Amino acid sequence: MEINSFIIFLAAIFTSNILLSNFLGMCSFLSVSKEIESSFGLGMAVFFVTTLTTILNYFVYHYVLVPLDIIYLQYIIFIIVIAATVQMTEMIVERFSPALYYTLGIFLPLITVNCAIFGVSLFMVIRNYNFLQTVGYGAGSGLGWLVAIMALAGIRQRIREKMVPAGLRGAGLTLIITGIMALAFIGFSGTVIIQ
Amino acid sequence: MSAIKVFKEAAFAENSVWKQVLGICSALAVSNLIKNSLVMGIGVMFALALSSLTVSLIRNFIPRRVRMIAQTLIIASWVIMIDLFLKAFMPEVSKELGPYVGLIITNCILMGRLEAFAAKNTPYLSFVDGLGAGFGYTFVLLIIAFFRELFGFGTVFGLQVLGSWWTPWSIMVMAPSAFFMLALLFWYIQNKYYLK
């Protein structure tokens, strides 16, 4: 059955959020979400790179790997595509928009090892999306990640001064907040479903 | 430094999950069943030990500028082998783990240990360090998976331990419980070992 690519886009943001239901991109999510500004910078970079690399990997997979029968090399090829895209993005942004580079620049190298981006490409292959669905899924996942990290950063800024048990400070409390956010996002399930 | 000390330090004192908060993604994603956790943990252990060994063997020949990409490619090669092995010998588990085996490549624990240890030490010690860090990771996974499987399905390792009177907590099968369980584990360990 063909699922509308717009539905996949919405589902990737809300019901099967790449971070809250597939747990991808946690490392940078936990370490960068202290400030809203830097979260927004990283989130935008992830959104941009995820959309771009998912589309590129779609073409690489269907027009290079499948015809040559070297699907078993997909991990290495995908990683190389992602690393190259990040490097290119960094150079282009630096050349044409120094202001944007100032906001995104420091986060771009971090992104090469962000598992959300690699994971979206792998899910795209496993779920057999066609081109439009791939675009919807890539953009939706990136946007979903941005939404999640912005929400967390907002909450973390509010509770910074509050008293919390010493043992929960840092990662522990962040994980509990994320868990509650994941519970809230489960509330969306039932509106749209993708698999 | 003796090998046993290196192993213990990597597995517990410097545990990548609770001390450095790395590798959380897969720790949360595959911890709903003990079986999946065990396979995933052993996979990470092998990938980590073997890539540590490889990186350590060629550490003096890699130019600094291309170090990261070289390490990523070494990890990716080992992970491909593990993935093929699982597909051949454990097709069901491989299907359940889905993309998470491939995602070992971007697991921050591997990059972290390679940078922090294997790039500076001898092959033998690096191999032991990789095994230790992988063991520490498996250990965390198994603790979380034990509770999630027990409360979520009433089973341990697929065996029914809680009788038919038990109502499974569906929350334990879903995503949020993984976050809560890991947070509780962090809390316990912080209180027990680090806040004295």
Side-chain angles (χ1 to χ4, degrees), chain A residues 19-27 30 72-76 79-80 83 112-115 118-119 122-123 126 165-168 171-173 175-176 178-180 182-183 186, chain B residues 21-26 28-29 69 72-73 76-77 79-80 83-84 87 98-103 105-106 108 111 171 174-176 178-180 182-183 186-187 190-191 195:
Chain A
L19 197 132
L20 297 172
S21 69
N22 290 320
F23 314 103
L24 295 178
M26 287 300 293
C27 297
L30 292 178
Y72 59 91
L73 280 181
Q74 59 168 325
Y75 297 152
I76 288 194
I79 286 281
I80 293 175
T112 313
V113 289
N114 187 318
C115 32
F118 186 46
L122 292 183
F123 274 120
I126 288 178
L168 266 184
L173 189 64
L175 280 171
I176 289 188
T178 317
I180 297 172
L183 266 183
I186 282 184
Chain B
V21 201
L22 294 178
I24 309 283
C25 320
S26 51
L28 296 168
I69 192 76
T72 312
L73 291 181
S77 322
V79 170
I80 288 178
D83 188 41
L84 291 177
K87 277 197 182 119
Y100 292 100
V101 178
L103 283 165
I105 300 173
T106 47
C108 343
M111 211 47 151
I171 177 101
M174 294 195 291
F179 291 108
F180 295 137
L182 191 65
F186 278 1
W187 195 0
Q190 285 283 333
N191 274 342
L195 298 171

Side-chain angles (χ1 to χ4, degrees), chain B residues 106-128:
Chain B
T106 47
N107 191 323
C108 343
I109 296 180
L110 275 85
M111 211 47 151
R113 289 324 290 179
L114 293 186
E115 274 292 288
F117 200 93
K120 303 189 194 88
N121 286 285
T122 54
Y124 173 61
L125 284 184
S126 305
F127 184 75
V128 174

Side-chain angles (χ1 to χ4, degrees), chain A residues 156-163:
Chain A
R156 279 185 79 173
Q157 273 194 340
R158 290 284 180 89
I159 58 166
R160 193 181 300 152
E161 310 295 325
K162 303 286 187 289
M163 297 284 286

